[in-house]
Amino acid sequence: MGQRGIGYLGGRAVKIGYPCINWSIGCKGDRTFRLRNYSEDRLISTVRNNLDCLLKMLRFNVTHDILFFRITSDLIPFASHSVCEFHWQGYFRKELEEIGGFIQGNRIRISMHPDQFVLINAEDNGIVERSIEELQYHAEVLDLMRLDETAKIQIHIGGVYKDKGKSMKRFIATYEGLDEVIARRLVIENDDTRYTAQDCLRLSADTGIPVLFDTFHHQLNGSGEGVPEILAPTSSTWRDTDGLPMVDYSTQNRNNRKGRHAESIDSEEFAEFLEATKPFDFDIMLEIKDKERSASKAIELASRDARFITASKAHA
DNA sequence: CCCTGTCAAGTCACG
DNA sequence: CGTGACTTGACAGGG
């Protein structure tokens, strides 16, 4: 717990990845459709495409030493919506198992990130119920892939309504009642306007929930702490069974308004980040527009870093 | 084929 | 109470 040793002795090592979309392999694994066009056929063909593409992306990633990946929430469109009565869990069981087998065989780290509308602490109970349904869907995907507890579902806390204290109380109350299949995978992430990393740590102290640190959100909505200062406490919220801490890394788009992600990774900034965070082991999710290109650049930069691991080493 | 309005869900500000 | 901003690509209907 807390600061971990450098290097991959003991089977731990830093992995780098990107979320959801790969621009270079010619397929899209997050295809969806409009609710009014919902049909079982449409769902099946879309999911089949998404699962095929997901496996292709994972194969691509392994050949490029990209061993961390965020699976899109659009994998099964409308999975948690009442319109969906189709038992996709059974229909796609084999495909999900196959993908899960590939993930485990190559020691790929997996995360999922439900959208902002997932609020387990909303004042409206209907929103809470729908949010839990959505989390259930995410957990089912990872369970059907037979991934262990290190595969995480990250959410923002939200649901402030001008009273963070009450918001936190509601979060704790709902969290404590969550089914274990969800709770074991759930982690909280600091966001860019409401919950700072310190807020997340406060909530973690009460619930034991791990804190996923987002560097960019911390820049926009932090309390002035440097990255290493905040990485120490957030890292120690991850138990051994949770796997290495996850960190979302991104930088400001220079041309655009505040809050916009950069188009491509800034090599110098990333090298500085690696240097500044030397005492810590964590898996890095690059939230950068050009996805796998920046991931490859980052891996190139990290390849001299003793914490980093390649696919062949992970395989051994 | 291209153009463009719209999209499951969320909050918040405003009139 | 209703509407638009937030933010984003892409779906999908109309021309």
Side-chain angles (χ1 to χ4, degrees), chain A residues 211-227:
Chain A
V211 177
L212 188 156
F213 178 62
D214 184 306
T215 61
F216 189 31
H217 294 157
H218 183 67
Q219 272 178 41
L220 298 167
N221 180 36
S223 334
E225 316 89 335
V227 169

Side-chain angles (χ1 to χ4, degrees), chain A residues 108-125:
Chain A
I108 300 169
R109 188 80 187 277
I110 293 292
S111 67
M112 294 185 86
H113 192 349
D115 252 318
Q116 301 278 44
F117 52 77
V118 166
L119 294 170
I120 67 168
N121 58 351
E123 285 175 337
D124 177 344
N125 207 36

Side-chain angles (χ1 to χ4, degrees), chain A residues 50-260:
Chain A
N50 289 350
L51 293 174
D52 284 351
C53 188
L54 172 58
L55 188 52
K56 282 184 186 140
M57 289 190 282
L58 293 169
R59 288 189 200 284
F60 172 98
N61 290 350
V62 169
T63 64
H64 291 80
D65 286 333
I66 299 170
L67 297 177
F68 188 16
F69 191 67
R70 182 183 300 162
I71 296 174
T72 175
S73 294
D74 281 333
L75 192 70
I76 322 277
F78 306 107
S80 73
H81 193 283
S82 58
V83 76
C84 179
E85 292 176 343
F86 182 65
H87 191 60
W88 54 270
Q89 297 91 331
Y91 192 91
F92 290 107
R93 189 174 56 84
K94 277 190 127 169
E95 288 85 347
L96 290 162
E97 271 178 24
E98 185 194 359
I99 292 167
F102 184 82
I103 289 167
Q104 291 170 72
N106 290 284
R107 308 281 190 276
I108 300 169
R109 188 80 187 277
I110 293 292
S111 67
M112 294 185 86
H113 192 349
D115 252 318
Q116 301 278 44
F117 52 77
V118 166
L119 294 170
I120 67 168
N121 58 351
E123 285 175 337
D124 177 344
N125 207 36
I127 293 172
V128 175
E129 280 169 22
R130 287 191 292 279
S131 295
I132 292 173
E133 285 297 307
E134 179 72 359
L135 291 174
Q136 178 72 25
Y137 146 63
H138 284 75
E140 280 178 4
V141 166
L142 299 173
D143 284 351
L144 287 162
M145 291 178 180
R146 300 190 177 160
L147 303 184
D148 65 20
E149 209 173 308
T150 67
K152 294 302 186 191
I153 301 168
Q154 63 187 92
I155 57 170
H156 296 299
I157 298 160
V160 175
Y161 316 106
K162 292 172 188 152
D163 190 335
K164 209 182 261 181
K166 280 185 185 159
S167 162
M168 289 170 93
K169 283 209 176 78
R170 286 194 305 273
F171 187 95
I172 293 166
T174 311
Y175 180 75
E176 285 176 346
L178 283 179
D179 192 305
E180 185 58 18
V181 298
I182 296 171
R184 67 200 277 261
R185 298 193 187 276
L186 205 64
V187 302
I188 49 176
E189 174 191 349
N190 56 311
D191 67 76
D192 59 357
T193 53
R194 294 172 182 80
Y195 278 85
T196 64
Q198 294 290 4
D199 293 332
C200 292
L201 284 169
R202 227 161 284 145
L203 211 42
S204 177
D206 290 331
T207 56
I209 190 168
V211 177
L212 188 156
F213 178 62
D214 184 306
T215 61
F216 189 31
H217 294 157
H218 183 67
Q219 272 178 41
L220 298 167
N221 180 36
S223 334
E225 316 89 335
V227 169
E229 283 77 19
I230 200 77
L231 256 180
T234 58
S235 292
S236 62
T237 60
W238 295 67
R239 295 152 300 209
D240 281 347
T241 48
D242 294 314
L244 282 191
M246 293 176 175
V247 170
D248 282 359
Y249 177 92
S250 62
T251 46
Q252 172 67 42
N253 184 318
R254 290 179 194 285
N255 304 319
N256 271 302
R257 216 193 44 260
K258 213 177 152 188
R260 197 68 68 82

